[in-house]
Amino acid sequence: YTTEVTAQHKVWQVFRPGKALLDPDTKETLGHEAVFLGTARLTRGGVPSSFLMLTSKQEITRDDRLLAAPRQDISSYVPRPPAKMIKAKVLAMYDGVSFGGPQSVITLNRGKADGLELGHVLAADVAGAEVRNRYKGEKTDYQLPDARNGLVFVFRVFDRISYALVMNATQPIVVGDTVRTP
């Protein structure tokens, strides 16, 4: 893209387009991840513009994107359960890891449109296992109920997705696990 950059924004964030976030129930695309790479300061506006890299988490390459850094508002995080029943699923783990635990960031398939708000605390469940019973030639399968695994704290909310911090968990949290109003 060739866009003229003005001195209105001094600090910028650098991102790389990530994978699509698909709702596991409807298979609908809820959004796309943006992989945070670092921050930059505008040193000269215009076309082309010049930036000084301030921080970087990964290598920054051609086709990575710049976005003006948002104003840093101080939010009041008041932990509380949602007033209504909300049930969501874990869509992804931050940084593409397979398992999450305390202090991990997870992506949820629910957001403002579903009633989630900044500060909501949700219970994380581990999916109940399927048990196959083979006794005296009789085959019976049982689905164990979901079990409480820990708590997550919602700290960033968009219209259709949210980000939450795992506060505690007795077992690893994985993509597909359920979180709900405690």
Side-chain angles (χ1 to χ4, degrees):
Y1 299 101
T2 328
T3 305
E4 184 167 347
V5 176
T6 64
Q8 177 183 0
H9 299 285
K10 295 279 188 211
V11 179
W12 294 70
Q13 295 176 333
V14 185
F15 293 94
R16 179 170 298 140
K19 66 181 180 182
L21 296 170
L22 301 176
D23 189 300
D25 300 325
T26 65
K27 306 301 182 216
E28 181 183 3
T29 301
L30 301 176
H32 289 82
E33 281 187 336
V35 179
F36 177 75
L37 301 175
T39 58
R41 185 176 70 233
L42 178 68
T43 56
R44 189 183 77 232
V47 177
S49 300
S50 293
F51 293 87
L52 173 66
M53 294 306 305
L54 301 174
T55 62
S56 64
K57 290 184 59 154
Q58 294 181 30
E59 181 180 17
I60 296 167
T61 62
R62 180 183 177 150
D63 295 328
D64 288 337
R65 312 292 166 87
L66 288 161
L67 183 67
R71 207 176 100 213
Q72 294 295 328
D73 292 332
I74 298 174
S75 299
S76 175
Y77 293 109
V78 179
R80 64 199 183 284
K84 69 177 191 173
M85 177 51 82
I86 293 177
K87 195 169 186 179
K89 288 192 177 170
V90 177
L91 287 180
M93 302 285 173
Y94 187 73
D95 277 344
V97 296
S98 299
F99 301 98
Q103 308 308 307
S104 295
V105 174
I106 59 176
T107 307
L108 305 176
N109 69 332
R110 299 288 183 260
K112 285 180 193 172
D114 305 292
L116 269 181
E117 298 175 3
L118 188 70
H120 276 167
V121 175
L122 301 169
D125 292 334
V126 65
E130 188 175 305
V131 178
R132 297 174 192 268
N133 184 17
R134 306 293 185 253
Y135 181 70
K136 292 186 179 180
E138 195 173 313
K139 297 178 181 180
T140 311
D141 293 339
Y142 297 98
Q143 180 70 41
L144 297 177
D146 292 351
R148 176 85 168 257
N149 187 20
L151 294 172
V152 302
F153 179 80
V154 177
F155 68 88
R156 188 91 193 258
V157 182
F158 297 94
D159 285 339
R160 303 178 68 199
I161 65 165
S162 299
Y163 290 95
L165 179 68
V166 178
M167 300 306 296
N168 59 47
T170 55
Q171 295 182 45
I173 291 179
V174 298
V175 172
D177 279 354
T178 302
V179 296
R180 61 177 168 77
T181 302

PDB file of all heavy atoms in Angstrom, residues 5-12 42 51 68-69:
ATOM      1  N   VAL A   5       1.776   9.068   5.169  1.00  0.00           N
ATOM      2  CA  VAL A   5       1.758   9.038   6.623  1.00  0.00           C
ATOM      3  C   VAL A   5       2.065  10.444   7.111  1.00  0.00           C
ATOM      4  O   VAL A   5       3.035  11.055   6.690  1.00  0.00           O
ATOM      5  CB  VAL A   5       2.796   8.024   7.166  1.00  0.00           C
ATOM      6  CG1 VAL A   5       2.845   8.068   8.671  1.00  0.00           C
ATOM      7  CG2 VAL A   5       2.471   6.627   6.661  1.00  0.00           C
ATOM      8  N   THR A   6       1.226  10.933   8.017  1.00  0.00           N
ATOM      9  CA  THR A   6       1.440  12.266   8.574  1.00  0.00           C
ATOM     10  C   THR A   6       1.996  12.145   9.985  1.00  0.00           C
ATOM     11  O   THR A   6       1.975  11.078  10.579  1.00  0.00           O
ATOM     12  CB  THR A   6       0.125  13.068   8.606  1.00  0.00           C
ATOM     13  OG1 THR A   6      -0.782  12.407   9.489  1.00  0.00           O
ATOM     14  CG2 THR A   6      -0.475  13.173   7.219  1.00  0.00           C
ATOM     15  N   ALA A   7       2.460  13.242  10.510  1.00  0.00           N
ATOM     16  CA  ALA A   7       3.055  13.264  11.844  1.00  0.00           C
ATOM     17  C   ALA A   7       2.011  13.237  12.948  1.00  0.00           C
ATOM     18  O   ALA A   7       2.344  13.355  14.118  1.00  0.00           O
ATOM     19  CB  ALA A   7       3.941  14.489  11.991  1.00  0.00           C
ATOM     20  N   GLN A   8       0.739  13.054  12.597  1.00  0.00           N
ATOM     21  CA  GLN A   8      -0.324  13.021  13.600  1.00  0.00           C
ATOM     22  C   GLN A   8      -0.084  11.888  14.609  1.00  0.00           C
ATOM     23  O   GLN A   8      -0.304  12.054  15.788  1.00  0.00           O
ATOM     24  CB  GLN A   8      -1.681  12.829  12.916  1.00  0.00           C
ATOM     25  CG  GLN A   8      -2.842  12.717  13.877  1.00  0.00           C
ATOM     26  CD  GLN A   8      -4.147  12.458  13.138  1.00  0.00           C
ATOM     27  OE1 GLN A   8      -4.193  12.363  11.928  1.00  0.00           O
ATOM     28  NE2 GLN A   8      -5.210  12.346  13.896  1.00  0.00           N
ATOM     29  N   HIS A   9       0.388  10.752  14.124  1.00  0.00           N
ATOM     30  CA  HIS A   9       0.672   9.614  15.001  1.00  0.00           C
ATOM     31  C   HIS A   9       2.180   9.412  15.057  1.00  0.00           C
ATOM     32  O   HIS A   9       2.821   9.219  14.033  1.00  0.00           O
ATOM     33  CB  HIS A   9       0.005   8.337  14.485  1.00  0.00           C
ATOM     34  CG  HIS A   9      -1.479   8.446  14.411  1.00  0.00           C
ATOM     35  ND1 HIS A   9      -2.279   8.403  15.527  1.00  0.00           N
ATOM     36  CD2 HIS A   9      -2.310   8.600  13.364  1.00  0.00           C
ATOM     37  CE1 HIS A   9      -3.541   8.530  15.171  1.00  0.00           C
ATOM     38  NE2 HIS A   9      -3.583   8.655  13.856  1.00  0.00           N
ATOM     39  N   LYS A  10       2.739   9.454  16.246  1.00  0.00           N
ATOM     40  CA  LYS A  10       4.185   9.312  16.402  1.00  0.00           C
ATOM     41  C   LYS A  10       4.589   7.848  16.590  1.00  0.00           C
ATOM     42  O   LYS A  10       5.603   7.417  16.081  1.00  0.00           O
ATOM     43  CB  LYS A  10       4.672  10.117  17.609  1.00  0.00           C
ATOM     44  CG  LYS A  10       4.483  11.611  17.452  1.00  0.00           C
ATOM     45  CD  LYS A  10       5.585  12.190  16.635  1.00  0.00           C
ATOM     46  CE  LYS A  10       5.487  13.705  16.665  1.00  0.00           C
ATOM     47  NZ  LYS A  10       5.961  14.308  15.457  1.00  0.00           N
ATOM     48  N   VAL A  11       3.792   7.084  17.357  1.00  0.00           N
ATOM     49  CA  VAL A  11       4.133   5.699  17.656  1.00  0.00           C
ATOM     50  C   VAL A  11       3.199   4.769  16.889  1.00  0.00           C
ATOM     51  O   VAL A  11       1.988   4.993  16.839  1.00  0.00           O
ATOM     52  CB  VAL A  11       4.060   5.411  19.171  1.00  0.00           C
ATOM     53  CG1 VAL A  11       4.383   3.953  19.476  1.00  0.00           C
ATOM     54  CG2 VAL A  11       5.012   6.320  19.930  1.00  0.00           C
ATOM     55  N   TRP A  12       3.788   3.742  16.308  1.00  0.00           N
ATOM     56  CA  TRP A  12       3.045   2.782  15.492  1.00  0.00           C
ATOM     57  C   TRP A  12       3.312   1.369  15.988  1.00  0.00           C
ATOM     58  O   TRP A  12       4.343   1.103  16.606  1.00  0.00           O
ATOM     59  CB  TRP A  12       3.479   2.904  14.031  1.00  0.00           C
ATOM     60  CG  TRP A  12       3.110   4.227  13.428  1.00  0.00           C
ATOM     61  CD1 TRP A  12       3.657   5.447  13.726  1.00  0.00           C
ATOM     62  CD2 TRP A  12       2.107   4.473  12.462  1.00  0.00           C
ATOM     63  NE1 TRP A  12       3.054   6.433  12.992  1.00  0.00           N
ATOM     64  CE2 TRP A  12       2.103   5.856  12.199  1.00  0.00           C
ATOM     65  CE3 TRP A  12       1.217   3.663  11.768  1.00  0.00           C
ATOM     66  CZ2 TRP A  12       1.234   6.437  11.295  1.00  0.00           C
ATOM     67  CZ3 TRP A  12       0.349   4.239  10.860  1.00  0.00           C
ATOM     68  CH2 TRP A  12       0.359   5.620  10.622  1.00  0.00           C
ATOM     69  N   LEU A  42       7.665   7.126  14.090  1.00  0.00           N
ATOM     70  CA  LEU A  42       7.748   7.843  12.822  1.00  0.00           C
ATOM     71  C   LEU A  42       8.871   8.873  12.908  1.00  0.00           C
ATOM     72  O   LEU A  42       8.903   9.691  13.825  1.00  0.00           O
ATOM     73  CB  LEU A  42       6.412   8.537  12.530  1.00  0.00           C
ATOM     74  CG  LEU A  42       6.330   9.377  11.261  1.00  0.00           C
ATOM     75  CD1 LEU A  42       6.415   8.459  10.038  1.00  0.00           C
ATOM     76  CD2 LEU A  42       5.035  10.165  11.241  1.00  0.00           C
ATOM     77  N   PHE A  51      10.696   5.093   9.578  1.00  0.00           N
ATOM     78  CA  PHE A  51      10.382   4.705  10.951  1.00  0.00           C
ATOM     79  C   PHE A  51      11.632   4.185  11.629  1.00  0.00           C
ATOM     80  O   PHE A  51      12.493   3.580  10.990  1.00  0.00           O
ATOM     81  CB  PHE A  51       9.320   3.590  10.980  1.00  0.00           C
ATOM     82  CG  PHE A  51       7.977   4.042  10.500  1.00  0.00           C
ATOM     83  CD1 PHE A  51       7.656   4.008   9.151  1.00  0.00           C
ATOM     84  CD2 PHE A  51       7.033   4.500  11.395  1.00  0.00           C
ATOM     85  CE1 PHE A  51       6.418   4.421   8.709  1.00  0.00           C
ATOM     86  CE2 PHE A  51       5.786   4.913  10.960  1.00  0.00           C
ATOM     87  CZ  PHE A  51       5.478   4.876   9.609  1.00  0.00           C
ATOM     88  N   ALA A  68      -1.362   2.754  13.486  1.00  0.00           N
ATOM     89  CA  ALA A  68      -1.134   3.774  14.510  1.00  0.00           C
ATOM     90  C   ALA A  68      -1.491   3.193  15.877  1.00  0.00           C
ATOM     91  O   ALA A  68      -2.538   2.568  16.045  1.00  0.00           O
ATOM     92  CB  ALA A  68      -1.971   5.017  14.220  1.00  0.00           C
ATOM     93  N   ALA A  69      -0.597   3.364  16.851  1.00  0.00           N
ATOM     94  CA  ALA A  69      -0.826   2.819  18.190  1.00  0.00           C
ATOM     95  C   ALA A  69      -2.037   3.498  18.807  1.00  0.00           C
ATOM     96  O   ALA A  69      -2.164   4.727  18.745  1.00  0.00           O
ATOM     97  CB  ALA A  69       0.409   3.036  19.056  1.00  0.00           C
TER      98      ALA A  69
END
